[in-house]
Amino acid sequence: MQAMEVTKLYYLCIIFQLHLIVKGIEWNNFFEVSNTYFKARHVKLLTVVNCFNTVDNFQLTKNYLEAGFFVRIIERFDHFNVSGNGNSGVVVDGSCETKMRQLLTISSLNEFMQTNIFWLFLEEVHESDKLEVPDTIRTRYNDDFRHVEALPGSSVAVGVFQSSWRLFDVHKKHSKGSLIFKDICYHGRNLMESTNMQRALLRFNKNLKERRNLRGYRMPTAIAITSPEKHTGINDMSDTFHDLYAKSTFPLIKELMYDVNFTINMIQVDLGGWKINGTFNGLMGLLANRTVELVAMGVLMRSERMEVSDYITVAFLLKTCFIFKQPPLSLVSNIFELPFSGQVWLSCLGFIIVCWITMMSVRFFARRENLTPGDSLTFIIGTMCQQDINLSAHFNSTKFLFFVAKLASFFIFAAYSATIVALLQSPSRAIRSVDDLTASPLKVGAMDTVYTWVYLNEAKDAQVQNLFQKKIKRYGKNSLIEADVGMRRVKDELYAFQVESNAAYLFIKQTFTPQDTCKIHELEAIKVAPFAIPVRKGSKYRELFRQRLIWQMEVGIKHRANRIWIAHKPKCESGVVAFNSVGLKELRFLYILLPVGVALAWFILGAELYRKKKLQKVEEGSKTSPSDGEEVMNEIKLKLVYDGYLN
């Protein structure tokens, strides 16, 4: 009981001392310091909390309006909101205990402790020490700001009048820490002059080493290791494709830790965090229930995640694409018709027709030339294909015609052979879009990551959805495989693999030959959102961390980390594609031609046998009428001679 009485007496003494020392501020002094301060901060929207009477508030409002401010004086705190489109300011009369207490008990007050909302608390005290913060002010504000998150990301200042105005920047290192007062001054000059105020604030903003020094605060931090069974350490560079998001970002967090002087109190989970039935799991769940302040890795930027987190800066951009080798030209086209254009093929056909007509003309005028229409056509086609046929000519004109036909066919066949050899070794350019990939004979798979199925399923592009439905979704999760397995199939099979470019490039460098590297093609189907570093929603460390991470980018620390952890596309240094043997697929059109040709040969044989039987019946009938039969037999013999059956 005696201890309780002593405690009560102690607090009564403090209150009595405050009543003696702290007294109200005149409205003109109130206006003078706030006007100078907020003009230097480029504030236009001003909120005023004081206990002045109506006349004083009228004069105060009039002066603010004449100074160019949009001003409002708070009487009730039911719907307190001080945010605006640009810089906003709040000036509070600290000697007005009633409204000061009401203000500090607002549940949403911490939401307005932001970088672009400038708070100014004004006090008037009488103490002799002008070098330090008055003890009464330090004690009072430490007690009143117990639940106020005046962290390094906020902008709070306290103005103290001791025969002249002095300004102190006020902040905490963490939510449960004590307030730190830092004097804002300019060589001891009067801050009520606008020039001196601007120079003092500019000088203070350039020397923020103390403000960004968190003094070893144990920052609640989380990280997601999505493949814990394969995790060998956050700094292990032997595996740069499992948990790349954590490994490539952690060096930046580590440098940030040394830069602003905090330590990490790490929590490890196995998911980045997805919203299921209105609740987040994984990292996002920890941010939602305010368990952690910072995530020590880059996570995908998604709209639903912004409900519980704020993103500081982009950690890295990860490209995903379909990696594949173009199918051989012989697999997607009939290479036997590709060496010549359509005009050349028509010219060859015209050459055959002209030669055949010429031979038939020579036979008509030279009765002794034994050139039937069938033999002539067979000879010309054989000559075009460089196949000699035993057909002799009696006249020099016919022999010269044979020579011209063989010479022309030699040049045609040489050009054809040279071109088709190159085509047999040439890759195609058949796959240039997602629709081409869907229509191609290539099988399709995807890298087994936490986001691949989600992004493919949510794709808005009709071509991507068509590919997903036809070649991936029908096989379910079996189409999701490890990166090493997928890249091995790309190398050995006709296979297209949706994979992170980092993992693909790594396996290409390790396992592909230079010739195989030159055959690789990429097709970007989905664009993955950037991987950014998140903090808790409304975190007051966001601006501090953002500034220091941007500094890392400017000086090259971020670029160096990306060069170490993220593989870059290998170059095609060979320039010469390895020779490939001709396989069965290249000759598949010949397998169609052979049975068709045999079938036509049987058909022609049947037609000839039918005609022969018909002629034999006519011959037997002619024996019954010798007069007419002799004429019929002569006609039959002429036909047989013409068709080449008789010499």
Side-chain angles (χ1 to χ4, degrees):
M1 293 294 291
Q2 186 177 2
M4 292 179 62
E5 293 294 334
V6 172
T7 303
K8 290 180 180 179
L9 181 61
Y10 172 74
Y11 281 110
L12 287 173
C13 290
I14 291 177
I15 294 172
F16 179 72
Q17 186 180 13
L18 291 174
H19 276 287
L20 289 177
I21 296 176
V22 181
K23 65 182 214 176
I25 306 172
E26 297 294 334
W27 72 266
N28 51 354
N29 291 334
F30 188 91
F31 168 76
E32 180 184 16
V33 64
S34 59
N35 175 55
T36 307
Y37 177 76
F38 287 121
K39 278 190 174 181
R41 290 295 193 184
H42 306 288
V43 168
K44 289 297 182 181
L45 178 62
L46 187 59
T47 303
V48 180
V49 178
N50 60 30
C51 292
F52 297 154
N53 57 45
T54 305
V55 176
D56 290 344
N57 274 333
F58 174 78
Q59 291 295 332
L60 187 64
T61 304
K62 179 182 177 182
N63 287 0
Y64 277 133
L65 292 175
E66 291 176 351
F69 292 101
F70 297 97
V71 63
R72 60 178 176 178
I73 298 178
I74 298 295
E75 297 293 339
R76 299 171 58 89
F77 296 92
D78 297 337
H79 303 286
F80 185 76
N81 187 357
V82 296
S83 60
N85 295 328
N87 291 346
S88 303
V90 183
V91 55
V92 181
D93 182 0
S95 62
C96 182
E97 295 184 3
T98 304
K99 289 194 175 180
M100 182 82 164
R101 192 180 305 112
Q102 293 177 359
L103 174 67
L104 296 177
T105 55
I106 297 175
S107 59
S108 61
L109 180 64
N110 289 326
E111 297 179 7
F112 304 108
M113 291 292 168
Q114 301 176 12
T115 305
N116 64 329
I117 299 180
F118 298 94
W119 293 78
L120 178 61
F121 294 84
L122 299 179
E123 301 281 356
E124 186 173 1
V125 298
H126 291 277
E127 288 189 11
S128 58
D129 189 4
K130 294 185 178 181
L131 298 178
E132 298 292 338
V133 181
D135 291 337
T136 52
I137 298 298
R138 187 185 297 273
T139 302
R140 177 185 175 187
Y141 276 83
N142 268 306
D143 184 59
D144 291 344
F145 277 57
R146 287 193 310 271
H147 304 293
V148 178
E149 294 181 353
L151 300 176
S154 61
S155 300
V156 180
V158 175
V160 179
F161 185 80
Q162 293 174 291
S163 71
S164 64
W165 283 103
R166 298 176 62 194
L167 287 180
F168 298 93
D169 176 77
V170 178
H171 72 278
K172 299 179 182 179
K173 299 303 180 184
H174 53 90
S175 58
K176 296 181 180 179
S178 300
L179 289 176
I180 297 174
F181 289 79
K182 187 70 174 178
D183 196 4
I184 301 175
C185 61
Y186 183 66
H187 302 298
R189 298 182 183 180
N190 183 16
L191 294 181
M192 294 304 98
E193 295 182 9
S194 59
T195 304
N196 292 337
M197 178 68 78
Q198 292 175 2
R199 291 175 178 175
L201 292 176
L202 182 62
R203 181 185 180 189
F204 179 79
N205 292 335
K206 288 183 177 180
N207 297 278
L208 293 177
K209 292 183 179 179
E210 172 58 32
R211 192 175 181 88
R212 69 169 184 255
N213 181 8
L214 299 185
R215 299 185 180 183
Y217 169 56
R218 295 188 66 189
M219 184 76 65
T221 310
I223 195 170
I225 303 300
T226 56
S227 302
E229 69 282 358
K230 299 179 181 178
H231 185 64
T232 56
I234 197 69
N235 296 315
D236 182 16
M237 297 182 60
S238 62
D239 183 3
T240 58
F241 55 91
H242 288 113
D243 294 305
L244 172 68
Y245 334 114
K247 292 181 178 180
S248 64
T249 310
F250 189 74
L252 307 182
I253 301 298
K254 193 174 180 180
E255 180 62 32
L256 178 67
M257 179 182 69
Y258 294 140
D259 186 17
V260 299
N261 190 19
F262 69 90
T263 58
I264 292 178
N265 184 16
M266 187 71 78
I267 299 175
Q268 179 179 321
V269 296
D270 58 359
L271 286 175
W274 303 91
K275 192 173 185 179
I276 302 175
N277 297 327
T279 305
F280 284 96
N281 57 15
L283 292 176
M284 295 298 115
L286 296 178
L287 291 174
N289 57 31
R290 306 173 73 87
T291 303
V292 298
E293 190 78 27
L294 171 68
V295 172
M297 62 178 288
V299 299
L300 279 171
M301 297 181 67
R302 292 178 61 85
S303 56
E304 69 269 14
R305 289 179 174 179
M306 293 182 183
E307 300 173 7
V308 296
S309 65
D310 288 327
Y311 291 101
I312 307 174
T313 185
V314 174
F316 60 93
L317 297 174
L318 188 63
K319 177 184 175 183
T320 63
C321 57
F322 281 101
I323 298 286
F324 60 92
K325 292 192 292 187
Q326 288 279 6
L329 189 61
S330 56
L331 189 62
V332 296
S333 303
N334 183 3
I335 60 169
F336 297 102
E337 68 179 18
L338 292 180
F340 291 159
S341 63
Q343 292 85 349
V344 176
W345 281 115
L346 290 176
S347 300
C348 292
L349 179 61
F351 175 75
I352 293 174
I353 294 174
V354 169
C355 287
W356 184 68
I357 292 174
T358 304
M359 286 186 179
M360 291 299 97
S361 301
V362 171
R363 180 183 182 279
F364 178 78
F365 290 106
R367 297 291 184 177
R368 292 184 60 187
E369 284 291 4
N370 189 18
L371 299 175
T372 64
D375 288 342
S376 300
L377 185 60
T378 304
F379 171 79
I380 297 171
I381 295 176
T383 300
M384 292 291 292
C385 298
Q386 295 293 294
Q387 301 297 318
D388 193 17
I389 294 179
N390 187 17
L391 187 66
S392 60
H394 296 284
F395 296 100
N396 291 331
S397 59
T398 309
K399 293 177 181 180
F400 182 75
L401 181 61
F402 285 3
F403 170 74
V404 171
K406 289 189 176 183
L407 184 62
S409 65
F410 170 75
F411 290 114
I412 294 174
F413 188 80
Y416 183 88
S417 301
T419 306
I420 201 169
V421 170
L423 291 175
L424 284 170
Q425 301 298 322
S426 299
S428 67
R429 294 292 184 269
I431 303 177
R432 300 186 180 184
S433 66
V434 178
D435 277 344
D436 293 338
L437 181 58
T438 306
S440 72
L442 273 66
K443 297 180 180 178
V444 177
M447 182 178 175
D448 188 9
T449 63
V450 294
Y451 64 84
T452 300
W453 192 270
V454 175
Y455 269 78
L456 287 172
N457 193 38
E458 293 179 353
K460 303 298 182 183
D461 192 292
Q463 295 185 16
V464 178
Q465 270 297 320
N466 187 33
L467 173 66
F468 177 64
Q469 297 293 335
K470 289 185 176 180
K471 292 202 168 186
I472 298 179
K473 189 174 182 180
R474 59 186 298 185
Y475 301 106
K477 294 299 179 70
N478 293 329
S479 59
L480 302 181
I481 57 179
E482 290 292 330
D484 54 345
V485 179
M487 293 306 298
R488 198 177 301 117
R489 294 187 65 179
V490 170
K491 179 183 177 183
D492 300 333
E493 306 174 20
L494 291 175
Y495 190 75
F497 190 45
Q498 167 69 22
V499 61
E500 295 175 358
S501 58
N502 174 73
Y505 297 157
L506 185 65
F507 280 109
I508 289 173
K509 290 179 179 179
Q510 293 177 350
T511 61
F512 281 47
T513 64
Q515 291 79 12
D516 288 333
T517 302
C518 293
K519 295 179 181 179
I520 290 298
H521 291 263
E522 299 179 10
L523 180 63
E524 189 173 9
I526 57 175
K527 288 187 178 294
V528 178
F531 284 77
I533 301 173
V535 292
R536 177 177 58 82
K537 187 72 174 179
S539 173
K540 304 305 179 294
Y541 296 105
R542 176 187 177 186
E543 185 62 23
L544 173 63
F545 291 164
R546 185 187 68 83
Q547 292 176 1
R548 303 316 298 166
L549 288 171
I550 290 177
W551 172 81
Q552 291 186 25
M553 180 180 64
E554 292 173 346
V555 300
I557 296 175
K558 178 181 176 182
H559 178 71
R560 179 179 179 274
N562 288 345
R563 294 281 297 180
I564 292 174
W565 290 100
I566 300 178
H568 295 271
K569 185 176 182 178
K571 295 182 179 179
C572 175
E573 297 178 349
S574 172
V576 179
V577 179
F579 179 81
N580 294 324
S581 300
V582 177
L584 297 177
K585 293 180 180 179
E586 284 78 5
L587 301 177
R588 67 188 186 282
F589 289 102
L590 297 182
Y591 305 144
I592 299 174
L593 178 63
L594 183 62
V596 171
V598 171
L600 287 175
W602 280 104
F603 177 77
I604 294 172
L605 176 62
E608 289 178 337
L609 293 175
Y610 174 76
R611 185 180 181 188
K612 182 180 178 181
K613 289 183 179 180
K614 186 176 180 181
L615 292 176
Q616 287 177 350
K617 289 182 179 179
V618 172
E619 184 179 359
E620 291 176 357
S622 63
K623 292 180 179 179
T624 58
S625 55
S627 58
D628 296 332
E630 187 174 353
E631 296 179 0
V632 173
M633 285 301 297
N634 290 333
E635 292 180 359
I636 291 174
K637 287 180 180 181
L638 288 175
K639 289 182 180 180
L640 292 175
V641 170
Y642 186 80
D643 292 338
Y645 291 105
L646 295 176
N647 293 326

